[in-house]
């Protein structure tokens, strides 16, 4: 049973460019959340997707957008890259909506390290 | 979601129990306490969670005080591979419109020493 996978592992971009990161959730999971983790800090919530819609969003600008596909995989897009967007981008999947239990734990992927020059 | 306070760093001798504290004095009645850890350059790993009762699994034990204002994560026999940043998070259970985002703080950097 594969866990959460992310691609690519590493990415180098220059300011102003656009980037797309990809995530495949753990088998059986239907919800995908994205986080940004700057060096030395805890992960910060970007947004969450369920049923191909953005359900929740953290305090991130519209340059950050996403998509969820019918197979539950997801993409994170960042436009007009800034130096400050350099970070580890984490994807987490869970089985949600329809459960009211706390046991729908989020499982994280290994992340994509984005460097903006 | 309630805020949490954790020590910045802790050391533990290999083979000894590691006790990681977390204060969450503003926790509300329906908020759960979750613990995750993050080994260098990897994604966070779920450890354990609880509401009010003490919990134990194959990785750790979670002790929550009776007033629920603080908790302690216990790794009973720490190994060098337990060296990581440990995050304590409190959050409401998911519902149809507010679900599952985890609000991480800075965590505690645990170093297990030989």
């Amino acid at each position: 049973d594969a866990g959460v996978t992310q691609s690519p592992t590493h990415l180098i971009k220059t300011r102003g460019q656009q980037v797309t990161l990809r995530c495949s959730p753990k088998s059986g999971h239907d919800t995908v959340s994205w986080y940004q983790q700057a060096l030395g800090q805890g992960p910060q919530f970007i947004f969450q997707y369920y049923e191909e819609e953005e359900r929740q969003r953290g305090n991130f600008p519209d340059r950050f957008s996403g998509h969820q596909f019918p197979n539950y995989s997801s993409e994170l897009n960042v436009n007009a890259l800034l130096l400050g967007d350099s970070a580890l981008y984490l994807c987490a999947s869970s089985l949600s909506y329809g459960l009211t239990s706390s046991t729908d734990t989020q499982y994280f992927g290994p992340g994509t390290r984005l460097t903006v020059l | 979601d309630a805020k949490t306070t954790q020590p910045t760093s802790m050391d533990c001798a290999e083979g000894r129990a590691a006790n990681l504290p977390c204060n969450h004095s503003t926790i509300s009645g329906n908020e759960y306490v979750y613990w995750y850890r993050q080994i260098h350059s990897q994604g966070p790993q779920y450890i354990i969670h609880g509401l009010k009762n003490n919990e134990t699994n194959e990785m750790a034990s979670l002790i929550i005080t009776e007033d629920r204002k603080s908790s302690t994560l216990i790794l009973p026999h720490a190994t060098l591979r337990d060296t990581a940043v440990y995050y304590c998070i409190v959050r409401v259970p998911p519902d149809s419109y507010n679900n599952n985002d985890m609000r991480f703080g800075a965590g505690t950097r645990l170093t297990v020493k030989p």
Side-chain angles (χ1 to χ4, degrees), chain A residues 35 37 41-45 48 56 90 94 96-97 99 101-102 104-106 108-110, chain B residues 32 34 36 38 41 43-44 46 49 87 91 94-102 104-105:
Chain A
Y35 294 79
Q37 185 173 24
Q41 298 181 22
Q44 300 299 307
F45 175 72
Q48 182 182 81
Q56 264 188 287
L90 295 160
S94 56
S96 306
Y97 293 125
L99 295 179
S101 163
S102 67
D104 48 332
T105 304
Q106 288 195 358
F108 284 80
Chain B
Y32 284 73
Y34 278 74
Y36 278 75
Q38 189 172 25
S41 294
Y46 166 78
H49 74 280
Y87 297 100
R91 71 171 179 94
D95 58 33
S96 296
Y97 299 100
N98 179 26
N99 183 20
N100 261 336
D101 62 299
M102 307 292 281
F104 290 80

Side-chain angles (χ1 to χ4, degrees), chain B residues 5-68:
Chain B
T5 304
Q6 298 178 253
T8 303
S9 63
M10 294 181 63
D11 291 341
C12 176
E14 188 179 21
R16 305 296 292 268
N19 297 283
L20 292 94
C22 179
N23 285 319
H24 31 79
S25 58
T26 60
I27 192 169
S28 58
N30 64 342
E31 287 183 312
Y32 284 73
V33 180
Y34 278 74
W35 284 83
Y36 278 75
R37 74 180 181 183
Q38 189 172 25
I39 296 169
H40 182 64
S41 294
Q42 297 181 20
Q45 177 190 22
Y46 166 78
I47 301 173
I48 200 168
H49 74 280
L51 181 61
K52 58 176 95 173
N53 297 322
N54 297 338
E55 303 286 346
T56 296
N57 63 19
E58 65 278 3
M59 288 183 69
S61 295
L62 173 61
I63 308 298
I64 303 174
T65 58
E66 194 168 340
D67 63 7
R68 302 208 325 119

Side-chain angles (χ1 to χ4, degrees), chain A residues 61-73:
Chain A
D62 292 344
R63 297 187 298 110
F64 290 78
S65 63
H67 189 77
Q68 186 179 33
F69 299 94
N71 67 352
Y72 308 121
S73 67

